[in-house]
Amino acid sequence: MGAALARAVQWTTTGSGAGTIKVTPLNESLLNQIIKFAEDFSTRHPQEAAFVFREPLEWKTQFDCSNFGEGYEINGETVQSEAKDKDGQPLLLLTASTLRVCSFDQLSRLLQIDMEKKLEEAQACLEANRDPIVKILGPEHGTVEGEDMSILNLLDKMKQDDPETEIKIKIFLLLHQLDLQLLNSSLKDVSQDERLHVAAINNEVTLLKNFSGMGEDTVLESLEYTSDYMFPNGRRAPPWRQVHGEICYLVIKPHDTDTLCITCSTAGVFLNGGWLTSKDDIDYESKSEVYKDIVTFLREKSPKFVENMAKKEYIFFQEPRKEINCQCMEVVDNRISGRSQNIYNFTENNVYMKMKSSAERRRYRDNKKLEPSMKWEDIWLSASHRPKYSSEKAAKKDTEEERRSSTVSRKIKKKDSGISSVSVKSQCKTSDRFEDISASSSETEEEEDQLVHLHDGNTDLPSEYWGIQKLAKYVKGGNPTATIIALCAMRDFNLAQETCQLAIRETGCLEVLINLLDTDEIKCQIGSLKILKEISKNTFTRRVIADLEGLQIMVRILDSPDKDLKCLAAETIANIAKFKQARWTVRQHGGIKRLVGLLECTSVGSTSLSSFQDEDTELARCGALALWSCSKSTKNKEAIRKAGGIPLLAKWLKCSHVDILTPVVGILQECASEPSYRLAIRTEGMIESLVNNLSSEHEELQMHCASAIFKCAEDKETRDLIRQHGGLQPLSALLDNSENKQLLAAVTGAIWKCALSAENVSKFSDYKVIEALVGLLTDQPEEVLVNVVGALGECCQETTNRTIIRKCGGIPPLVKLLTGTDQALLVNVTKAVGACATEPENMMIIDHLDGVRLLWSLLKNPNPNVQANAAWAICPCIENAKDAGEMVRSFVGGLELIVNLLRSKNKEVLASVCAAVTKIAKDEENLAVITDHGVVPLLSRLANTSNKKLRHHLAEAISQCCMWGNNRIAFGEAKAVAPLVRYLKSNDPSVHRATAQALYQLSEDPGNCVTMHENGVVKLLLAMVGSTDEALQEAAAGCIANIRRLALAAEKAKYG
């Protein structure tokens, strides 16, 4: 609590340096947490609550005698508690307005006396006792900067079997846990209240540097960071200052004032106290008001800056041409790089650096080896990367040291600590690149390698690093009790913090934690797994654990009879199995079958769990979490199925508890990409459960259920089941939750796939889904838009829905989306616009918004799916436009473009372009133009296709193109007639009709009639003359008539 009071709580300062707690929302939140801790202390920890403080907590109070009752002795203005210490002194004493409290029990009772005054009392107490731990436990536990030796001293005293020491350790750990909770809370508050951020400050510093130098016309003489070291979050301030929102510190030399040392924080920019030469550190105290940015600060401090900047105002805010360079080292797995170079080898051969100037290159040549600070050089590099023992002698020495250690250490089965070699390479990237890396990971692809930064030699190690290093000694060599206590103390650190994780790796503690899993001490195994579970959330750490063969041990632990141990092992596997190699390891060592086995228990499928802490249920939850991570691999999906996982998942899906349902549904939505799983989900009756859980109060569960439905609804039978089980209504209702974008993307995707069935579209119309989808066409991320437009495209197949879209104003945003770049979105939006264009009223709006031109431009898109859908959409546009021929001719190069697409190798593109050619050729002038562009030979070249869809539209295009000049003869010369005759043998009626019409047009040329007759067309057409399709009947009869007339003319010419 001392560290939180010193670092997290915001104080007002006076001349002497003392102060009071500011009245801020952050401080009020921290005080309420402290009050809650003190109030609950006596009930949660009765033995520790009776502990008597070394010195009483003393402060000026607002309480008086009237506030106290039972349990207190009141004598005039003096109040004392009936409870006394061993010397007979009261544990609470009120004299005048001064209150003295000597135990947590009395402190807890005091806070419950008057609920309205407790906030003021807590504030007064903390202001009077700036380091309360000193008065509670003694001066040796005071809050100090740097190393904190108090817990280590307590661990040493444990060996003396002092009962009081054990209680003091528990109190210290509880206070330390509160301390971390308060610091984390303040950090969260700071991150939410940011006004300035790292990128903004970096950009401003870069711009100012571009206009700084020794010249008279520069805005500054110089501007430099106080530290070149950058933390993973982009900040340069030390961690204990980051909790105050501080980002970095700058030393600025203006032309007309002394050197300024400033602090850049999330709240703004202010002048600090400058360098403290005695401590080689900065005086962080604010010496000025807070300004919104660096430029505003310099405008106030330097008139010369204002004058010179005014001269450069027109270029000041332009993007700098110089590339921002920052040195970083990227650790690349040797499976990718193929090199086995030791990570400690920081030679010129494996570090390539881009320097800004020739002077820097010279400095680099003078220092042939890159040498980080001795304090920092290994922190970012795991000690687990050290090479294996190079000799038996070294291994023997290590074994002797292990033999000399205590009981637990003797039970540890020492393993080689070598892992896959890694190579280090240096790259230069801007801050935008780091953001791209962090945002580029996906669920199905292997994660990106972590970046490892070089450290500034002047940066001190944080106290957390040394604390973990000291505790590591007890983890390695203590007795069982000390080892367990050390593990508990280590858990009190913020293990999610990068510094703590790196300290664990650098000190070799990670190997010890993994080796502890091989001991016979259950408590040691549990303690080790609890830490591994936390640190394995870090990408780099989980890779190191996998390389140290930690996964193999955890898989074996799944066979343990201890259920708590199996739960922790499964949860840790769930964290580690986020990348491909780890998932492969779990499968290869039989982990999938063991994890599926965790799902088998007596309470499976129960809907009336008395408590989630039920051991079997918790075991199944942890197993499901691990299987969820593993199910991102295709082979693991098959392994889960073969291990009998599907029936168990189906049973657990009927459970009512969200903590089990979420990972179970997560597994199903991952595996639903496989046809075998979709069939199983349908036949095992899981669709009904998925539909029911759409009405859950938990958005994450709703999202995964919707995602599973999205994938399963590819099959018509599943779509029917979703409708029959009432799943369309909850999906429609979830469209109202537009704040959760992930949920919205899953729901709109499910609606899209369900809309593939016309029966579902009718239901959606009743639920006003069309109107809701139109409302989501703006201000949404692309993953939502893709699904929304896809759903509208399917719903547009009905006339009434096309009218609804127009009346709701949906056509303008749809046309606007045609200018996008996302390929999936373009595929769907072209289909939706094309469907809308079948209505003349809609077509007028599309034409007015220049939508046809946008569709035509998409024919140039390299994606064949976009090309095909754009061509399909153009067909109704031409058909329903007022002056279609003139509109098409107005597109410069448009006709040549569409003719050239007949050279595509994609069947869907060819079919759609043939359909478009059919519509275009209805205008005589356009037909003449496309004939000149060579449409006849290109269509003829496609005649030998066996694709039914292409045959249909190709025959229609040939039929329409025969209307111009000598095109009929040209088709005959290009040998397109004989293949067309074979189309009549198809079993598709639409192909019969289109082919008969084409043959009828071609039969106007005698040469084509001869070819048709030779290929047996008459017999085929005679069967179609009796068809109920009038168009087919008429075309077949007309073609036969032309052939017959030619035959009669030939006979007449021959015989006179």
Side-chain angles (χ1 to χ4, degrees):
M1 193 161 62
L5 290 176
R7 297 173 179 173
V9 174
Q10 300 165 340
W11 296 84
T12 60
T13 56
T14 62
S16 62
T20 59
I21 297 175
K22 291 181 181 178
V23 181
T24 65
L26 173 60
N27 282 349
E28 186 175 346
S29 171
L30 296 177
L31 285 172
N32 283 328
Q33 291 181 60
I34 294 172
I35 291 169
K36 183 73 167 60
F37 172 83
E39 281 181 335
D40 298 343
F41 198 93
S42 60
T43 55
R44 296 178 64 182
H45 312 286
Q47 186 178 3
E48 289 76 19
F51 176 78
V52 179
F53 297 164
R54 177 72 69 88
E55 296 179 31
L57 297 176
E58 183 176 337
W59 71 93
K60 296 292 183 182
T61 181
Q62 298 180 21
F63 286 121
D64 55 30
C65 301
S66 62
N67 295 112
F68 295 88
E70 185 180 353
Y72 297 95
E73 300 173 358
I74 303 173
N75 184 10
E77 294 185 355
T78 302
V79 178
Q80 64 180 21
S81 63
E82 294 177 354
K84 305 287 194 300
D85 63 12
K86 61 183 179 181
D87 297 326
Q89 297 298 319
L91 297 179
L92 181 144
L93 177 64
L94 171 63
T95 56
S97 60
T98 302
L99 185 63
R100 296 157 57 93
V101 178
C102 295
S103 74
F104 277 110
D105 182 53
Q106 292 298 320
L107 197 60
S108 181
R109 295 181 62 184
L110 179 69
L111 290 172
Q112 296 171 10
I113 288 176
D114 191 337
M115 304 300 290
E116 295 181 358
K117 292 182 180 179
K118 62 182 180 180
L119 193 64
E120 292 81 358
E121 288 298 314
Q123 181 175 345
C125 176
L126 294 174
E127 287 173 353
N129 304 275
R130 290 290 289 264
D131 199 352
I133 297 179
V134 171
K135 293 193 173 182
I136 295 171
L137 298 177
E140 66 272 18
H141 300 284
T143 303
V144 294
E145 295 292 337
E147 292 188 59
D148 186 1
M149 304 294 291
S150 52
I151 184 65
L152 302 178
N153 293 334
L154 286 173
L155 286 170
D156 287 333
K157 290 182 180 180
M158 277 287 294
K159 299 173 182 178
Q160 303 172 9
D161 295 330
D162 182 5
E164 185 177 332
T165 302
E166 186 176 349
I167 293 176
K168 288 178 73 174
I169 283 181
K170 291 180 180 178
I171 294 175
F172 181 86
L173 292 175
L174 290 170
L175 292 174
H176 183 61
Q177 188 174 1
L178 173 63
D179 215 11
L180 292 174
Q181 178 185 332
L182 296 175
L183 288 171
N184 287 335
S185 179
S186 65
L187 276 173
K188 183 179 179 181
D189 187 270
V190 166
S191 65
Q192 291 175 346
D193 193 39
E194 274 198 332
R195 289 186 294 178
L196 275 181
H197 52 84
V198 175
I201 290 174
N202 287 342
N203 290 339
E204 197 171 9
V205 169
T206 304
L207 287 170
L208 288 170
K209 280 187 174 184
N210 287 337
F211 298 101
S212 299
M214 298 307 294
E216 286 295 325
D217 59 343
T218 57
V219 296
L220 297 168
E221 284 188 13
S222 65
L223 180 147
E224 298 293 338
Y225 290 107
T226 58
S227 171
D228 291 332
Y229 173 70
M230 184 187 295
F231 287 88
N233 60 5
R235 301 190 181 202
R236 298 170 187 263
W240 53 92
R241 298 304 303 175
Q242 289 186 26
V243 296
H244 297 284
E246 293 177 6
I247 297 172
C248 66
Y249 311 99
L250 298 170
V251 177
I252 301 174
K253 181 64 179 76
H255 287 290
D256 52 349
T257 64
D258 294 333
T259 300
L260 305 172
C261 189
I262 68 170
T263 298
C264 299
S265 71
T266 54
V269 176
F270 58 84
L271 185 69
N272 58 43
W275 281 100
L276 299 172
T277 54
S278 58
K279 295 185 178 180
D280 194 25
D281 201 358
I282 292 174
D283 178 2
Y284 300 108
E285 195 70 36
S286 173
K287 304 298 181 184
S288 72
E289 62 179 296
V290 179
Y291 298 86
K292 68 175 184 178
D293 54 34
I294 302 171
V295 171
T296 306
F297 170 83
L298 290 171
R299 285 181 186 274
E300 290 290 325
K301 301 296 181 183
S302 171
K304 186 72 173 176
F305 173 81
V306 177
E307 177 187 341
N308 286 355
M309 203 181 77
K311 301 175 185 177
K312 301 179 179 292
E313 199 78 58
Y314 69 98
I315 60 171
F316 185 76
F317 291 102
Q318 289 182 359
E319 198 68 28
R321 293 185 181 180
K322 290 174 64 178
E323 185 180 0
I324 304 170
N325 292 280
C326 63
Q327 297 176 8
C328 63
M329 291 166 45
E330 183 179 358
V331 176
V332 183
D333 196 290
N334 77 317
R335 289 182 299 274
I336 300 171
S337 66
R339 291 181 289 178
S340 58
Q341 192 170 329
N342 188 334
I343 198 163
Y344 286 105
N345 185 16
F346 287 103
T347 63
E348 188 177 356
N349 293 332
N350 66 336
V351 180
Y352 299 91
M353 300 166 55
K354 295 180 181 178
M355 296 301 185
K356 296 180 183 177
S357 64
S358 58
E360 290 186 53
R361 293 192 192 96
R362 286 195 297 273
R363 284 198 296 273
Y364 180 68
R365 283 196 296 269
D366 294 338
N367 301 279
K368 280 289 185 179
K369 190 172 183 179
L370 183 64
E371 296 178 354
S373 161
M374 292 301 293
K375 293 180 179 180
W376 281 97
E377 64 178 345
D378 293 335
I379 287 187
W380 295 90
L381 304 169
S382 170
S384 60
H385 287 178
R386 291 168 184 160
K388 296 182 180 180
Y389 291 115
S390 58
S391 66
E392 294 182 1
K393 182 179 180 181
K396 183 177 179 182
K397 180 180 178 181
D398 186 85
T399 306
E400 290 173 355
E401 290 177 357
E402 289 293 322
R403 196 175 291 120
R404 288 195 297 269
S405 63
S406 63
T407 306
V408 174
S409 298
R410 282 196 298 270
K411 292 180 180 179
I412 295 175
K413 300 173 183 178
K414 186 69 177 175
K415 294 181 179 288
D416 282 341
S417 61
I419 65 169
S420 301
S421 303
V422 296
S423 60
V424 182
K425 62 180 181 180
S426 174
Q427 296 180 346
C428 299
K429 303 183 191 299
T430 61
S431 59
D432 290 338
R433 175 58 178 152
F434 287 110
E435 292 174 7
D436 290 342
I437 291 174
S438 65
S440 65
S441 61
S442 68
E443 290 183 342
T444 56
E445 294 180 359
E446 192 167 357
E447 294 170 339
E448 298 289 338
D449 291 316
Q450 291 287 288
L451 294 179
V452 182
H453 297 265
L454 292 177
H455 305 83
D456 179 30
N458 298 322
T459 311
D460 291 331
L461 287 168
S463 58
E464 291 87 349
Y465 174 83
W466 295 113
I468 287 179
Q469 187 184 57
K470 297 296 183 184
L471 288 173
K473 179 178 68 175
Y474 290 91
V475 174
K476 293 178 182 179
N479 57 44
T481 304
T483 300
I484 294 168
I485 291 175
L487 290 172
C488 293
M490 192 176 290
R491 285 191 65 215
D492 287 335
F493 285 92
N494 181 9
L495 296 177
Q497 188 178 347
E498 188 71 19
T499 305
C500 295
Q501 297 210 8
L502 295 170
I504 290 173
R505 296 200 297 264
E506 196 278 336
T507 56
C509 191
L510 189 56
E511 298 98 314
V512 179
L513 289 172
I514 292 173
N515 288 341
L516 279 172
L517 300 179
D518 266 347
T519 67
D520 298 329
E521 292 285 341
I522 298 295
K523 290 183 179 179
C524 287
Q525 289 177 303
I526 290 175
S528 174
L529 277 173
K530 284 184 176 180
I531 294 173
L532 289 171
K533 184 183 78 170
E534 293 300 320
I535 65 176
S536 60
K537 295 174 184 176
N538 176 276
T539 306
F540 184 69
T541 302
R542 70 171 66 115
R543 288 180 175 276
V544 176
I545 293 172
D547 287 336
L548 286 170
E549 299 184 1
L551 270 175
Q552 289 89 320
I553 302 175
M554 293 174 202
V555 168
R556 290 199 297 271
I557 288 175
L558 296 175
D559 292 329
S560 168
D562 189 283
K563 292 184 178 181
D564 290 337
L565 200 58
K566 289 196 286 188
C567 285
L568 286 169
E571 283 189 284
T572 311
I573 290 172
N575 290 338
I576 299 173
K578 301 289 186 184
F579 62 100
K580 186 185 296 185
Q581 186 65 28
R583 293 192 287 267
W584 177 88
T585 301
V586 174
R587 184 177 73 251
Q588 288 297 109
H589 290 83
I592 300 296
K593 189 173 182 180
R594 290 180 171 94
L595 289 170
V596 169
L598 298 184
L599 300 178
E600 298 178 356
C601 61
T602 55
S603 58
V604 61
S606 174
T607 57
S608 57
L609 295 175
S610 58
S611 171
F612 181 62
Q613 296 302 318
D614 177 84
E615 288 184 351
D616 285 347
T617 306
E618 176 66 9
L619 198 60
R621 184 191 71 86
C622 297
L625 284 172
L627 287 172
W628 190 5
S629 294
C630 292
S631 66
K632 293 174 175 64
S633 164
T634 304
K635 291 185 178 179
N636 283 353
K637 294 173 187 177
E638 182 63 17
I640 294 171
R641 189 185 65 80
K642 289 182 177 179
I646 294 177
L648 293 172
L649 292 172
K651 290 179 181 178
W652 277 114
L653 199 56
K654 297 175 183 177
C655 174
S656 61
H657 207 290
V658 66
D659 285 337
I660 305 174
L661 283 172
T662 301
V664 167
V665 176
I667 297 169
L668 291 174
Q669 69 96 7
E670 285 289 346
C671 296
S673 57
E674 300 296 318
S676 59
Y677 270 90
R678 292 202 295 270
L679 176 63
I681 289 171
R682 185 169 72 247
T683 55
E684 291 281 348
M686 288 187 257
I687 295 297
E688 183 178 4
S689 299
L690 291 173
V691 167
N692 292 338
N693 286 317
L694 287 174
S695 303
S696 169
E697 296 178 355
H698 301 273
E699 292 186 352
E700 185 183 4
L701 178 58
Q702 290 175 322
M703 179 190 69
H704 292 307
C705 287
S707 296
I709 290 172
F710 169 58
K711 293 180 180 178
C712 292
E714 293 284 352
D715 306 321
K716 186 181 185 307
E717 295 85 352
T718 303
R719 295 196 292 271
D720 294 339
L721 283 173
I722 293 168
R723 182 179 67 256
Q724 292 163 13
H725 291 302
L728 302 183
Q729 197 279 330
L731 283 174
S732 306
L734 287 172
L735 288 175
D736 296 333
N737 189 349
S738 58
E739 297 300 319
N740 188 333
K741 301 304 180 186
Q742 287 184 318
L743 174 60
L744 190 60
V747 169
T748 51
I751 290 174
W752 172 20
K753 295 303 180 184
C754 288
L756 293 172
S757 294
E759 300 89 343
N760 292 346
V761 173
S762 299
K763 287 286 186 181
F764 284 140
S765 298
D766 297 339
Y767 299 139
K768 307 296 183 184
V769 169
I770 314 300
E771 293 87 339
L773 291 173
V774 171
L776 295 173
L777 285 174
T778 54
D779 301 324
Q780 297 296 338
E782 285 184 342
E783 56 267 23
V784 174
L785 286 173
V786 169
N787 296 336
V788 169
V789 176
L792 286 174
E794 296 301 330
C795 293
C796 279
Q797 306 306 316
E798 290 190 5
T799 305
T800 54
N801 292 337
R802 294 196 288 267
T803 305
I804 292 171
I805 291 174
R806 183 182 73 252
K807 290 181 177 179
C808 292
I811 293 179
L814 280 174
V815 172
K816 187 177 179 182
L817 290 174
L818 290 171
T819 60
T821 56
D822 185 89
Q823 300 298 301
L825 179 57
L826 288 174
V827 169
N828 286 353
V829 77
T830 47
K831 181 177 180 179
V833 171
C836 289
T838 55
E839 296 292 323
E841 296 86 348
N842 294 351
M843 181 56 212
M844 289 176 62
I845 301 173
I846 294 170
D847 191 21
H848 177 71
L849 295 170
D850 212 15
V852 184
R853 186 182 299 275
L854 292 173
L855 285 170
W856 217 288
S857 67
L858 289 174
L859 295 174
K860 300 177 184 177
N861 193 289
N863 188 325
N865 294 326
V866 176
Q867 291 177 339
N869 276 15
W872 287 122
I874 286 170
C875 296
C877 291
I878 297 173
E879 188 172 359
N880 293 291
K882 281 187 176 180
D883 190 358
E886 185 59 36
M887 178 188 71
V888 171
R889 285 192 295 277
S890 69
F891 303 143
V892 178
L895 292 173
E896 183 180 4
L897 172 61
I898 205 156
V899 170
N900 286 335
L901 281 176
L902 291 171
R903 294 184 170 89
S904 173
K905 295 181 179 179
N906 185 283
K907 293 291 191 293
E908 188 69 19
V909 173
L910 291 172
S912 61
V913 171
C914 286
V917 167
T918 304
K919 303 298 182 184
I920 292 168
K922 290 181 179 179
D923 180 88
E924 193 174 70
E925 289 186 40
N926 290 338
L927 176 55
V929 173
I930 63 174
T931 299
D932 291 341
H933 285 308
V935 72
V936 172
L938 288 172
L939 289 174
S940 302
R941 209 173 66 174
L942 302 174
N944 288 307
T945 182
S946 59
N947 184 283
K948 291 181 181 180
K949 194 173 188 180
L950 179 54
R951 280 181 168 186
H952 171 206
H953 293 288
L954 175 61
E956 287 186 340
I958 290 174
S959 175
Q960 200 63 47
C961 289
C962 286
M963 303 296 186
W964 176 257
N966 295 322
N967 283 358
R968 293 183 180 90
I969 299 172
F971 278 120
E973 293 173 349
K975 303 188 184 309
V977 178
L980 281 175
V981 174
R982 292 195 291 272
Y983 291 6
L984 296 175
K985 298 177 181 178
S986 169
N987 55 7
D988 188 343
S990 63
V991 174
H992 291 165
R993 183 174 58 253
T995 304
Q997 290 172 338
L999 291 173
Y1000 171 63
Q1001 292 297 331
L1002 290 169
S1003 66
E1004 296 289 336
D1005 174 61
N1008 293 339
C1009 286
V1010 173
T1011 305
M1012 293 178 200
H1013 189 272
E1014 289 175 349
N1015 284 275
V1017 75
V1018 175
K1019 184 178 180 180
L1020 295 170
L1021 289 174
L1022 281 172
M1024 295 176 185
V1025 170
S1027 170
T1028 56
D1029 186 335
E1030 291 184 4
L1032 173 58
Q1033 191 181 60
E1034 185 178 348
C1039 183
I1040 292 172
N1042 287 337
I1043 295 172
R1044 181 58 182 159
R1045 276 194 291 270
L1046 177 62
L1048 290 174
E1051 285 185 16
K1052 186 177 181 180
K1054 182 176 181 180
Y1055 299 108

